[in-house]
Amino acid sequence: MLAADLNCVTSSASMADLAPLRTTRNLVDLAQDLEGITLVWDDGRVSRFTAAWLRDNCACPQCRHPQALERTYMFIDHATPTILAAAIGPGEVVDITFAAGSESHSSRFTKGWLREYGCCEDALREREFTQRLWGSDIASRLTTVSYADYMHTSDGVRAWIDAIQTDGVALLKGVPAQPGQLLEVGRRIGPIRATNFGDHYDVVSMPNPNASAYTAMGLELHTDLANWRSPPDVQLLCCLKSTVTGGESVFADGFMVAEELRIADPETHGLLSTHALDFRFHDDSCDIRARAPTIELDRAGRHLQVRFNNWLRAPMRLPEDVIEPMYQALATFWRMLRSPRFHLNVRLEPGDLIAYNNHRVLHGRAPFDPRSGERHLQGCYLNLEDLQSRLRLLDRV
Ligand code: OGA
Ligand code: ZN
Ligand code: ZN
């Protein structure tokens, strides 16, 4: 008799999650069959879960490492499970007993967890945040956070991360204008993403520059490190000195420009998102190359990344009949980027630190006269995962 063989383990209701998922919705019905369960919620949502999926996600200490909280259950080593029993228990947990060959196993799922993961595909498509595309209008609503709030309050750092997620750009004011201070700002989020330029770099006009940024030239709108397979996500630029004539910063929302291009000229947008270009940076110590399209889309066709950097662009390796159309397409995109209606113009003063999503927001600067005074910025990069992680930690209750 099967019941005699039951080796039941009732898991705790923690779901092996340091921040338990909660929902204000209630369960009104549960129907079971061998292959799975169907839950009905009080707002009418119906969530179907298959037996194999549920079994795979059991969070009991047998199936998840009790400290690491990572999955130790390996479905490949077990027979395909079926549902033996399922019921809504007190506190609106769902208790399930599975049968798999001669084995059985009991699992407990909380309703908050089931609500989170039992989403229909439409809910999956919702972003965790809403992107706000912008043009020059952002100047009047650019998120500005004081250094003190950012470093010492949850609300400050949350506002800054929110702005990077939604607008792709945020300004910090009042950062002590000391070398290396931007690293303290970065470390409030997570580890600094190092590159061939080190963990941070000084943007000054220098006698033997190995990059255009280290001259007094104007820099057209660009994304940094386009020659990397995965360019850094978030760039921090901190101003230490700014007494020169010129050198003002300019930013543009690449997703806004690409969205307008998609509507105005879908063929050009298609060319820029289909064909990869080559990028390269090399100096005495490195030679780093990548090949990727100017506009990268996700599987749903949404903008994922813009990669635009004229001085890192290497010779195109494209079919001959694509070369001329590609030059035309790049020129069209570039002309749009030059349009002031997309520009956020900022003159960075000592103590200002601007941060932006380098996959979305392009940056540039006006030329400056190095004899007219001093200009000194420092830059470094962060991973977007670390920003998102910091936000989740702030939300942990
Ligand atoms: C850079 C850069 C802009 C500036 O360092 O990547 O683009 O304002 N600098 O100097
Ligand atoms: Zn288990
Ligand atoms: Zn740059």
Side-chain angles (χ1 to χ4, degrees):
M1 168 59 205
L2 197 65
D5 300 327
L6 287 185
N7 173 24
C8 289
V9 177
T10 302
S11 69
S12 74
S14 75
M15 304 313 298
D17 199 326
L18 292 174
L21 293 162
R22 297 181 201 287
T23 179
T24 53
R25 304 260 58 117
N26 289 313
L27 285 167
V28 294
D29 193 30
L30 180 157
Q32 73 176 85
D33 51 63
L34 281 179
E35 276 84 44
I37 64 167
T38 303
L39 297 179
V40 183
W41 300 87
D42 59 1
D43 62 345
R45 184 189 285 182
V46 176
S47 316
R48 172 77 183 166
F49 303 87
T50 71
W53 186 94
L54 286 165
R55 177 67 193 87
D56 187 40
N57 288 299
C58 178
C60 84
Q62 277 194 355
C63 299
R64 297 231 158 206
H65 190 279
Q67 266 84 45
L69 305 181
E70 294 177 341
R71 180 184 290 107
T72 50
Y73 170 76
M74 293 187 261
F75 70 85
I76 192 171
D77 295 329
H78 299 267
T80 303
T82 54
I83 306 282
L84 205 58
I88 301 175
E92 287 191 81
V93 293
V94 172
D95 287 314
I96 300 181
T97 303
F98 300 93
S102 60
E103 298 173 8
S104 76
H105 192 78
S106 289
S107 307
R108 172 166 285 180
F109 299 90
T110 65
K111 69 167 181 169
W113 190 93
L114 291 163
R115 178 76 185 185
E116 171 79 12
Y117 291 106
C119 55
C120 50
E121 228 182 297
D122 282 353
L124 262 184
R125 279 196 210 102
E126 284 169 18
R127 282 179 183 274
E128 281 181 25
F129 59 93
T130 311
Q131 241 168 35
R132 284 186 304 221
L133 302 187
W134 49 266
S136 56
D137 57 297
I138 198 181
S140 59
R141 63 163 184 84
L142 178 63
T143 297
T144 305
V145 179
S146 80
Y147 170 77
D149 282 353
Y150 171 91
M151 289 303 281
H152 304 300
T153 72
S154 302
D155 285 351
V157 70
R158 192 193 303 272
W160 185 86
I161 297 172
D162 274 346
I164 305 245
Q165 299 251 64
T166 56
D167 295 329
V169 58
L171 184 63
L172 274 187
K173 286 235 167 238
V175 180
Q178 283 152 18
Q181 195 63 38
L182 85 167
L183 297 175
E184 298 307 316
V185 169
R187 289 189 191 119
R188 172 110 169 97
I189 301 296
I192 306 297
R193 157 95 186 253
T195 72
N196 55 295
F197 294 105
D199 67 348
H200 71 294
Y201 53 91
D202 290 279
V203 188
V204 281
S205 170
M206 48 177 83
N208 297 304
N210 68 344
S212 310
Y214 307 147
T215 68
M217 296 184 331
L219 301 176
E220 288 245 0
L221 284 169
H222 64 280
T223 58
D224 266 16
L225 296 156
N227 59 305
W228 284 62
R229 214 162 45 82
S230 179
D233 299 312
V234 177
Q235 181 164 17
L236 273 55
L237 271 184
C238 185
C239 178
L240 301 180
K241 290 177 187 158
S242 165
T243 53
V244 285
T245 309
E248 295 82 6
S249 304
V250 58
F251 302 89
D253 183 349
F255 289 178
M256 173 72 153
V257 180
E259 211 54 77
E260 280 208 10
L261 177 67
R262 168 146 61 188
I263 292 161
D265 187 347
E267 213 174 304
T268 293
H269 185 274
L271 211 61
L272 293 177
S273 54
T274 310
H275 293 283
L277 300 181
D278 288 275
F279 296 90
R280 177 189 195 196
F281 174 89
H282 70 303
D283 65 7
D284 290 344
S285 63
C286 69
D287 186 345
I288 301 171
R289 307 178 191 199
R291 184 171 163 78
T294 305
I295 296 172
E296 208 175 318
L297 305 172
D298 70 10
R299 285 194 303 272
R302 293 174 303 209
H303 290 119
L304 204 57
Q305 185 172 171
V306 168
R307 194 183 291 247
F308 189 86
N309 190 316
N310 194 54
W311 50 90
L312 297 182
R313 195 161 46 71
M316 283 178 202
R317 290 181 300 168
L318 291 171
E320 192 187 338
D321 61 338
V322 179
I323 298 230
E324 186 48 32
M326 181 54 76
Y327 275 111
Q328 296 291 341
L330 278 176
T332 301
F333 189 52
W334 198 342
R335 269 193 294 274
M336 287 178 77
L337 286 170
R338 280 182 170 178
S339 166
R341 71 195 173 86
F342 292 118
H343 292 177
L344 166 65
N345 297 296
V346 184
R347 180 167 180 104
L348 294 174
E349 300 294 347
D352 291 350
L353 184 154
I354 194 145
Y356 41 94
N357 179 347
N358 182 52
H359 289 200
R360 168 180 168 188
V361 171
L362 298 93
H363 64 284
R365 69 158 186 239
F368 59 92
D369 176 0
R371 289 157 309 176
S372 63
E374 286 183 291
R375 185 179 193 273
H376 185 187
L377 307 183
Q378 285 192 318
C380 73
Y381 305 101
L382 293 172
N383 298 309
L384 199 56
E385 287 91 337
D386 288 314
L387 269 74
Q388 293 166 342
S389 163
R390 174 62 54 213
L391 211 50
R392 290 187 195 111
L393 288 179
L394 290 168
D395 285 344
R396 230 180 235 181
V397 283

